[in-house]
Amino acid sequence: MTFEVASIHKAEPGPFLPPSFELGVEDTAIPPGGRFFADFALEDYIEFAYKILLTPEQRDALRAKLPLWARTDYFVIQAEAPGNPTKDQMRIMMQALLVDRFHLQVHFETRTEPVFALVLLQRGQPGHRIRPHVQGLPCNAKWVPPPDRTAPSVPPGGFMPECGFMQAIDGPNHTALLGARNATVEQVADYLPWILDFGRPVVDQTGLSGKFDFTLQFTPERRSSPEDSGAAPLDPTGPSLIEALRDQFGMKLQSTRAPVQILVIDHVEPPSPN
């Protein structure tokens, strides 16, 4: 699958121009019509094309393999796809475009590395703030915003107007609410290193399959590590991320080693002319 037409040029300084749709790893719907527009660095297009969410350390490692121009320059890509492709079909087209215009060559390697495994405290029993999506509001139902999106009475994920992606909003007492509807626990694990940099990936080993609605309330300013989960509270205004995982999700992070897929860049060149 390829784009029918595509143009690429180096971005000029100016205000940020939002993409035609969110380029994250989530399986969210995209507008019909096959239009693609974005103004990002090459690494962002690579992450979109190969549907990966890199930890901060993995992103640094990827950048180290890129030439200077690929680390500093932004590129505007405009393209048109036939019909009404899905987001995953757009990813395949982006892979082809990166190969054709940037002469990008990549491969994946599986390496056993130190990770934190996200595990349940009690087998098969997640906490009260994460529940199967089938118990919540269907994605095709009308979402009615609650008077207070941060109220404890709002069901897990209930402050999210759309399904499929995660979002954080400000909560009470300098806390944050991270939530999603119709998301996997694997998505939660992938996202955790972006909330608190653990220095290693987080992998899902809960054994929970399917899609879930959830809300996690935590204090972003708290800087605790998984090994501190039994320590006395450092700040009375709200739970740390580790405490929130334990008390609201019934989960903890466990230090271990596990196979991790790593994307390796073999070759890349500046984009060929339009």
Side-chain angles (χ1 to χ4, degrees):
M1 301 182 68
T2 59
F3 291 111
E4 289 185 328
V5 293
S7 69
I8 302 174
H9 65 268
K10 186 178 175 180
E12 299 295 334
F16 172 73
L17 300 174
S20 52
F21 56 85
E22 173 61 45
L23 301 191
V25 297
E26 300 88 357
D27 294 322
T28 48
I30 64 174
R35 178 176 179 266
F36 181 95
F37 172 85
D39 177 0
F40 288 116
L42 177 61
E43 62 196 43
D44 296 303
Y45 292 119
I46 293 173
E47 286 192 58
F48 166 70
Y50 291 94
K51 202 174 184 178
I52 55 177
L53 179 61
L54 301 174
T55 67
E57 289 73 24
Q58 289 171 337
R59 178 168 273 217
D60 288 344
L62 183 142
R63 285 174 176 162
K65 300 294 184 182
L66 291 172
L68 180 61
W69 63 266
R71 300 196 302 268
T72 59
D73 294 347
Y74 277 54
F75 295 93
V76 174
I77 297 182
Q78 300 183 70
E80 297 289 339
N84 296 304
T86 65
K87 193 172 184 179
D88 279 346
Q89 288 172 331
M90 283 283 204
R91 296 183 199 278
I92 295 173
M93 295 182 213
M94 180 56 64
Q95 290 179 26
L97 184 65
L98 295 177
V99 170
D100 180 48
R101 301 292 297 278
F102 289 87
H103 302 286
L104 179 70
Q105 297 177 21
V106 303
H107 72 276
F108 281 91
E109 294 179 0
T110 301
R111 305 172 185 172
T112 299
E113 297 188 346
V115 301
F116 282 118
L118 185 64
V119 299
L120 287 170
L121 298 176
Q122 298 185 47
R123 185 175 180 180
Q125 296 185 23
H128 66 288
R129 297 302 289 167
I130 180 169
R131 68 180 185 184
H133 173 66
V134 294
Q135 297 178 15
L137 183 71
C139 293
N140 58 1
K142 181 181 179 181
W143 176 78
V144 178
D148 179 3
R149 296 172 70 191
T150 69
S153 59
V154 176
F159 71 86
M160 292 291 292
E162 298 180 33
C163 285
F165 67 96
M166 285 182 278
Q167 181 182 0
I169 65 173
D170 292 334
N173 293 328
H174 307 289
T175 60
L177 295 179
L178 177 71
R181 293 166 50 211
N182 201 36
T184 65
V185 179
E186 183 179 8
Q187 285 177 263
V188 177
D190 288 341
Y191 200 82
L192 288 178
W194 284 100
I195 301 174
L196 185 60
D197 186 1
F198 300 116
R200 61 179 76 177
V202 176
V203 297
D204 171 29
Q205 294 186 2
T206 62
L208 297 174
S209 60
K211 300 292 186 73
F212 295 84
D213 297 347
F214 72 85
T215 299
L216 188 71
Q217 180 182 348
F218 63 97
T219 306
E221 293 81 8
R222 293 285 300 279
R223 287 295 183 263
S224 63
S225 70
E227 288 80 5
D228 295 332
S229 57
L234 301 176
D235 186 343
T237 61
S240 70
L241 177 61
I242 302 305
E243 293 163 343
L245 286 171
R246 179 190 65 204
D247 299 334
Q248 299 168 37
F249 277 14
M251 301 177 188
K252 66 178 181 179
L253 295 176
Q254 187 171 284
S255 182
T256 185
R257 295 178 66 87
V260 177
Q261 270 210 325
I262 304 295
L263 182 138
V264 179
I265 295 178
D266 299 309
H267 182 79
V268 67
E269 298 177 14
S272 58
N274 293 315

